[in-house]
Amino acid sequence: MGSFIAYKPNEQVGFLPFDIAGESPLDLQGRHKELALLDTAYQQQAHLVQIVASSGTGKTALLYTWLQRLSASGWQGVDAVYGWSFIGSQGKRQPAQLMQEFLDQALSWLGVTVNASHTSEEKMLLLSERLGQQHIVLALDAIPAKLLVEAPDSLSLHGLFKTLSHTNAGLCIICVEEALTLMTPIDAPTIQTITLENLSAQAGALLLKERGVQGDMEDLTSLSNQFANHALTLTLLGACLNQLLAGDLGRLDNIPIWLDKQVH
């Protein structure tokens, strides 16, 4: 858990932590439509975009790729970019602790002065005020469900997102497993939802190919289908096959349990 990107003009701390798409870090197999939707949301000054999908479908990869593209374009005049991942926070840590750490780090980077007397509710107000004043991209990944319930601001991000859906000078992008209802659609043109499904079989095959798996498209497509075209599964599978078999699909039988008809 922590910040994965923190940018201001002439100052950058942190980095996008992995090469998402092999030899083409600014591209992402099977997600061109979703990247275009993020571009459109940014250009049309949406206040909040929620990327919705089950675990491993590609929310993080989509978010990081779009931020890489924004970086490559020179950040397009933003005042600041701040990305925070809650990954690894599903354990025993309490919501108040998670909120306190995020708020302290975000406010510090955005230049908002706080002191020991400020409560979490006051810090949340300060954050929403700063986001309403400057063109800032705030990206939050792997948000645990316990921080999305309607609860006091010291325990939940729901209030922040509801405020930003009304008033935000920049863009807030959140990755969640279930869509949040912040306003009715007719009242909320500034909120956009991007729902990710599993990859197409062709995109899954190309992902395997990018990960070093060798074979014709028919075999790669069949292999992708066997794993439901699930992005994370295919990424791990490609790495495994590359390491164990030098990516050669013709050697799959060397793995004794591979596609054993008795294994379900």
Side-chain angles (χ1 to χ4, degrees), residues 29 34 49 102 121 194 213 229 256:
Q29 280 299 341
E34 289 81 3
V49 174
F102 160 65
E121 287 88 346
I194 299 175
V213 181
N229 307 309

Side-chain angles (χ1 to χ4, degrees), residues 73 135 139 169 208 211 213:
S73 69
H135 187 194
L208 287 169
R211 296 306 177 192
V213 181

Side-chain angles (χ1 to χ4, degrees), residues 98-228:
L98 300 175
M99 292 292 295
Q100 186 79 9
E101 184 173 355
F102 160 65
L103 289 170
D104 286 347
Q105 295 295 325
L107 289 170
S108 175
W109 176 254
L110 297 176
V112 179
T113 301
V114 296
N115 55 54
S117 67
H118 280 111
T119 65
S120 292
E121 287 88 346
E122 290 170 331
K123 292 176 182 178
M124 187 75 79
L125 179 60
L126 289 171
L127 177 59
S128 62
E129 287 177 348
R130 178 52 56 93
L131 294 173
Q133 295 165 349
Q134 294 184 313
H135 187 194
I136 295 167
V137 174
L138 175 67
L140 302 180
D141 186 32
I143 306 172
K146 60 189 174 184
L147 293 186
L148 295 173
V149 297
E150 293 192 55
D153 286 347
S154 61
L155 302 174
S156 174
L157 290 164
H158 192 278
L160 173 65
F161 299 151
K162 193 166 186 177
T163 298
L164 294 180
S165 67
H166 290 276
T167 307
N168 188 3
L171 177 63
C172 177
I173 307 174
I174 62 176
C175 293
V176 294
E177 294 197 5
E178 295 185 8
L180 302 180
T181 301
L182 300 170
M183 292 191 291
T184 60
I186 196 169
D187 294 328
T190 57
I191 301 175
Q192 297 192 21
T193 299
I194 299 175
T195 302
L196 294 187
E197 306 293 342
N198 282 341
L199 297 171
S200 68
Q202 182 179 17
L206 292 172
L207 176 57
L208 287 169
K209 197 174 188 70
E210 286 182 346
R211 296 306 177 192
V213 181
Q214 304 164 24
D216 60 35
M217 281 299 292
E218 183 177 355
D219 289 338
L220 291 171
T221 299
S222 175
L223 182 59
S224 179
N225 276 325
Q226 291 175 47
F227 290 89

Side-chain angles (χ1 to χ4, degrees), residues 5-8 11-13 79-82 104-112:
I5 183 68
Y7 163 84
K8 288 185 284 191
E11 187 177 0
Q12 180 168 335
V13 177
D79 294 314
V81 177
Y82 191 75
D104 286 347
Q105 295 295 325
L107 289 170
S108 175
W109 176 254
L110 297 176
V112 179

